[in-house]
Amino acid sequence: MSERNVEIVALVGSLRKGSVNRQLAQVAADNAPAGVRVTIVEGLGDLPFYSEDHDPSIEAQAVLPGGVATLRQTVGAADAVLLVTPEYNGTIPAVLKNAIDWLSRPYGAGAVSDKPIGVIGAALGRFAGTWSREDTRKSVGIAGGRVIEDVEVGVQTSALGEHGVAAAEVVEQVVVAVNRLVAEVTVAA
């Protein structure tokens, strides 16, 4: 039996091109172990806000917006999902919550259903976005994802040195998190 590559998609909760969270997702992509590909999903900011009026799983005449269909297909085809979240006003950013809402449908059979999900992130405060990561885990778990609790990286951006998230200790934490997520794919396969 031949081994196949593990496909992980990363959804970033910050829309800013230079965001530390986008950089953290890139660290995951650049340092993925052999046989693993981490792809950052683009376009979350272009998705319309979730509405049952636009969801054919709720409203039979509704037409799924194109970006949502693409997101669902991309996430549904992945083996695992890495959510990378900043903390906005003590919680999950709207863009990431909106993506989770779209991915949760149709209820019980959404793109994240029983898929291994890891949540990492970076935030300014001394708790490094703990509330946001907790809220993200809660939301995606209710949406049907299989949250891997010990995938845990919280980067305090105010404490980053000159190398930023490219610092060896941060890269090591991200590599451990990705490997833990990959282990869950292998277990479930």
Side-chain angles (χ1 to χ4, degrees):
M1 184 167 107
S2 65
E3 277 190 46
R4 65 177 182 82
N5 286 337
V6 173
E7 299 287 335
I8 298 175
V9 292
L11 278 62
V12 180
S14 175
L15 298 177
R16 191 170 58 87
K17 288 185 191 321
S19 83
V20 173
N21 283 280
R22 176 168 277 289
Q23 293 170 30
L24 202 58
Q26 192 63 54
V27 166
D30 292 345
N31 294 279
V36 176
R37 183 171 61 175
V38 177
T39 304
I40 300 171
V41 175
E42 303 293 345
L44 296 187
D46 298 329
L47 300 176
F49 282 112
Y50 177 79
S51 170
E52 290 181 349
D53 292 340
H54 302 293
D55 187 345
S57 71
I58 305 294
E59 184 64 43
Q61 274 65 18
V63 175
L64 197 61
V68 172
T70 300
L71 175 68
R72 284 182 176 177
Q73 180 180 22
T74 300
V75 172
D79 296 304
V81 179
L82 183 65
L83 301 176
V84 187
T85 184
E87 186 169 274
Y88 293 170
N89 298 312
T91 193
I92 183 174
V95 69
L96 189 54
K97 177 63 170 75
N98 186 49
I100 292 169
D101 290 345
W102 279 114
L103 292 168
S104 72
R105 304 298 180 159
Y107 183 75
V112 294
S113 289
D114 201 36
K115 194 171 296 284
I117 310 283
V119 180
I120 66 173
L124 182 63
R126 68 180 175 170
F127 300 115
T130 298
W131 294 336
S132 178
R133 291 190 316 279
E134 288 173 355
D135 287 350
T136 301
R137 286 184 187 97
K138 176 182 173 187
S139 180
V140 78
I142 291 170
R146 187 166 44 91
V147 177
I148 311 305
E149 295 289 341
D150 57 349
V151 171
E152 175 64 290
V153 177
V155 176
Q156 183 182 0
T157 59
S158 59
L160 285 172
E162 67 179 281
H163 298 292
V165 296
E169 62 273 10
V170 176
V171 172
E172 182 180 344
Q173 290 176 28
V174 173
V175 168
V176 167
V178 170
N179 280 323
R180 181 66 188 102
L181 196 53
V182 169
E184 287 297 321
V185 170
T186 304
V187 168

